[in-house]
């Protein structure tokens, strides 16, 4: 008997991140494509995981997350943002930031709902919206500044607009929305039924003296928002897949209905370890400086190259304009760079719904200084 399966995501294939990493492995290239560190996490943190296992924390965690970790998250928001978050009714621990995003969209979006996203965008937003029958309404932002025209955005909002998704700081652009941008968004959403999903995975990786911004700091946004965050970027542990979602109590109640049938609960010993490790908030405060130095190392090393380095206000990604080198399409140039020069990157066009070639590549600088120096020595001579 022959069976046919009608795909729910006809336009989705293997992600560009997987493709470029496979190509990097095949050619022995430096992998600056996928967003993960190549340096070890703190041995103290891994030791705390081992301790938690030895103490017997090896069974299911509570569906909403270990109490100690939710308390630590609440304390972090109070210390960094001067925000009070209810650890019991507003915080849910998730299997990474992406699962928080997926679950929030699953909770909110119904067939024919419109969802505004800002492109270039993290690649899970559009497919997840489409999976639940929503219509993606992209706002295309362009290099070099990726500036948002809020007047244009206002014209897109209508009675069918169910959700707006923002990413602050933005992967892949490195753009940071300031307080003024968020206040403007609050005004645009006033009087509408649109909700907000704020992806704040890179919240503490902001540079040049800027302060982290959260929609939770703006009451008019907080009351309509889901905030997704992650410990992967925070602790250099992207493989642990531990994150969380913060939302008003009524939203959280609905979010947990989906969450409990998705992953139900998250890795127990790691939750206890993270809760203990983040008692010292100084670690969080030092992250920006740590990554800013890596950004500056890569930026300075490419200053005399034929690549033009675009502004980077946050995250751990830098965008390189190669238009002075080649007019090739981004995918083709990125593949050539991997094969011939042994440096793997990501074409920025991969983050747009429609073809958008600007001769720009995204590189990850969350790497050892030695890795970055090796990359500089290659890229500076292309």
């Amino acid at each position: 008997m022959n069976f046919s399966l009608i795909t729910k995501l006809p336009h989705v294939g293997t992600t560009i991140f997987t493709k470029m990493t496979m190509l990097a492995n095949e050619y022995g290239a430096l992998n600056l494509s996928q967003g993960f560190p190549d340096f070890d996490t703190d041995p103290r943190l891994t030791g705390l995981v081992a301790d938690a296992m030895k103490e017997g924390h090896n069974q299911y965690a509570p569906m909403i997350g270990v109490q100690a970790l939710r308390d630590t998250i609440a304390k972090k928001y109070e210390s960094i943002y001067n925000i009070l978050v209810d650890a019991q009714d507003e915080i849910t621990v998730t299997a990474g930031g992406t699962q928080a995003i997926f679950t929030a969209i699953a909770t909110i979006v119904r067939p024919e709902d419109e969802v505004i996203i800002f492109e270039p965008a993290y690649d899970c937003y559009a497919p997840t919206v489409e999976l639940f029958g929503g219509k993606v309404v992209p706002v295309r932002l362009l290099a070099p500044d990726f500036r948002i025209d809020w007047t244009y955005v206002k014209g897109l909002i209508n009675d069918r607009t169910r959700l707006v998704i923002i990413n602050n700081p933005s992967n892949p652009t490195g753009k940071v929305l300031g307080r003024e941008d968020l206040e403007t968004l609050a005004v645009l959403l006033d009087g509408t039924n649109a909700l907000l999903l704020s992806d704040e995975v890179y919240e503490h990786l902001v540079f040049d003296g800027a302060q982290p911004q959260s929609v939770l700091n703006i009451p008019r946004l907080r009351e309509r928002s889901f905030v997704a965050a992650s410990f992967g970027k925070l602790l250099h542990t992207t493989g642990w897949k531990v994150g969380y979602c913060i939302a008003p109590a009524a939203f959280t109640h609905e979010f947990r209905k989906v969450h409990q049938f998705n992953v139900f609960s998250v890795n127990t010993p790691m939750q206890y370890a993270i809760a203990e490790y983040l008692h010292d908030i100084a670690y969080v405060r030092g992250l920006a400086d740590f990554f800013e130095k890596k950004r500056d190392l890569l930026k300075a090393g490419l200053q005399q190259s034929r690549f033009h380095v675009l502004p980077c206000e946050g995250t751990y990604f830098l965008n390189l304009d190669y238009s002075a080198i080649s007019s090739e399409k981004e995918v083709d140039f990125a593949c050539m760079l991997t094969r011939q020069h042994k440096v793997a990157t990501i074409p920025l066009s991969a983050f747009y719904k429609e073809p958008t070639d600007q001769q720009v590549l995204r590189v990850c600088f969350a790497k050892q200084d030695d890795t970055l120096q090796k990359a500089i020595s290659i890229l500076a001579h292309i």
Side-chain angles (χ1 to χ4, degrees):
M1 183 178 292
N2 293 322
F3 295 95
S4 62
L5 179 65
I6 300 174
T7 178
K8 297 181 75 173
L9 294 172
H11 307 298
V12 174
T14 304
T15 71
I16 190 66
F17 310 102
T18 299
K19 289 178 181 178
M20 294 311 298
T21 292
M22 289 175 62
L23 201 62
N25 293 337
E26 181 181 352
Y27 285 89
L30 295 172
N31 191 355
L32 304 188
S33 60
Q34 218 166 346
F36 60 82
D38 68 347
F39 45 84
D40 291 334
T41 191
D42 186 345
R44 177 173 169 263
L45 178 55
T46 54
L48 288 170
V49 175
D51 291 344
M53 290 179 177
K54 291 173 185 175
E55 290 165 6
H57 299 300
N58 299 304
Q59 307 310 322
Y60 292 124
M63 181 268 287
I64 65 177
V66 166
Q67 181 72 50
L69 182 55
R70 287 182 286 110
D71 288 341
T72 295
I73 294 167
K75 288 175 184 175
K76 187 198 80 163
Y77 277 85
E78 184 174 10
S79 177
I80 300 292
Y81 298 104
N82 196 29
I83 297 170
L84 295 179
V85 179
D86 189 317
Q88 181 63 31
D89 294 329
E90 295 185 320
I91 299 173
T92 307
V93 178
T94 61
T98 300
Q99 190 246 319
I101 293 165
F102 183 95
T103 303
I105 293 172
T107 302
I108 300 166
V109 175
R110 302 162 298 192
E112 305 305 318
D113 282 345
E114 293 187 1
V115 178
I116 295 174
I117 69 171
F118 296 88
E119 296 182 332
Y122 180 49
D123 66 333
C124 84
Y125 301 159
T128 307
V129 169
E130 292 169 351
L131 188 63
F132 291 100
K135 176 186 176 184
V136 175
V137 180
V139 177
R140 196 171 67 154
L141 311 178
L142 299 176
D145 62 353
F146 304 101
R147 184 182 63 85
I148 296 176
D149 181 346
W150 291 110
T151 301
Y152 174 77
V153 175
K154 181 179 181 180
L156 298 177
I157 299 173
N158 59 61
D159 291 343
R160 295 183 301 279
T161 305
R162 180 65 170 164
L163 181 67
V164 176
I165 303 177
I166 62 172
N167 182 198
N168 192 32
S170 168
N171 167 26
T173 68
K175 183 80 172 177
V176 174
L177 298 178
R179 178 84 184 198
E180 185 176 345
D181 286 298
L182 297 180
E183 291 280 10
T184 300
L185 178 58
V187 171
L188 294 188
L189 296 180
D190 277 349
T192 76
N193 291 320
L195 303 180
L196 180 64
L197 171 55
S198 183
D199 177 354
E200 299 181 6
V201 163
Y202 296 93
E203 61 180 318
H204 300 295
L205 278 58
V206 292
F207 310 136
D208 305 312
Q211 296 300 309
Q213 298 289 331
S214 174
V215 298
L216 300 177
N217 266 129
I218 300 174
R220 286 184 299 171
L221 290 181
R222 179 173 180 173
E223 66 184 11
R224 66 171 76 232
S225 294
F226 292 79
V227 171
S230 170
F231 294 109
K233 307 302 187 293
L234 196 67
L235 302 173
H236 322 311
T237 54
T238 59
W240 288 14
K241 300 300 291 179
V242 181
Y244 56 91
C245 179
I246 298 177
F251 290 9
T252 295
H253 179 70
E254 295 302 316
F255 179 94
R256 290 172 178 173
K257 288 181 182 180
V258 179
H259 171 74
Q260 69 181 339
F261 296 118
N262 188 349
V263 298
F264 182 73
S265 66
V266 176
N267 192 298
T268 305
M270 289 176 179
Q271 289 195 56
Y272 279 99
I274 293 170
E276 177 65 25
Y277 188 77
L278 289 181
H279 276 174
D280 183 4
I281 204 68
Y283 170 84
V284 175
R285 297 186 188 279
L287 276 174
D289 183 60
F290 176 79
F291 282 109
E292 185 173 337
K293 288 176 180 175
K294 292 187 177 295
R295 178 203 66 173
D296 292 348
L297 172 63
L298 185 57
K299 183 177 178 181
L302 296 177
Q303 208 65 45
Q304 303 305 315
S305 75
R306 292 198 291 166
F307 289 96
H308 174 58
V309 180
L310 301 188
C312 169
E313 300 169 344
T315 74
Y316 50 46
F317 301 108
L318 205 60
N319 287 291
L320 307 180
D321 181 329
Y322 65 84
S323 58
I325 302 172
S326 172
S327 60
E328 279 187 277
K329 289 185 177 181
E330 290 173 4
V331 171
D332 296 334
F333 188 81
C335 290
M336 180 278 296
L337 204 60
T338 307
R339 294 189 180 104
Q340 296 184 22
H341 298 282
K342 304 297 186 288
V343 178
T345 62
I346 294 289
L348 194 68
S349 55
F351 297 90
Y352 290 90
K353 189 172 177 63
E354 299 297 332
T356 305
D357 253 286
Q358 302 174 84
Q359 281 75 55
V360 176
L361 302 176
R362 190 200 75 172
V363 299
C364 175
F365 56 81
K367 307 295 178 182
Q368 298 177 67
D369 289 357
D370 181 57
T371 303
L372 296 177
Q373 291 287 9
K374 287 177 182 176
I376 288 167
S377 68
I378 296 171
L379 297 174
H381 294 93
I382 293 175

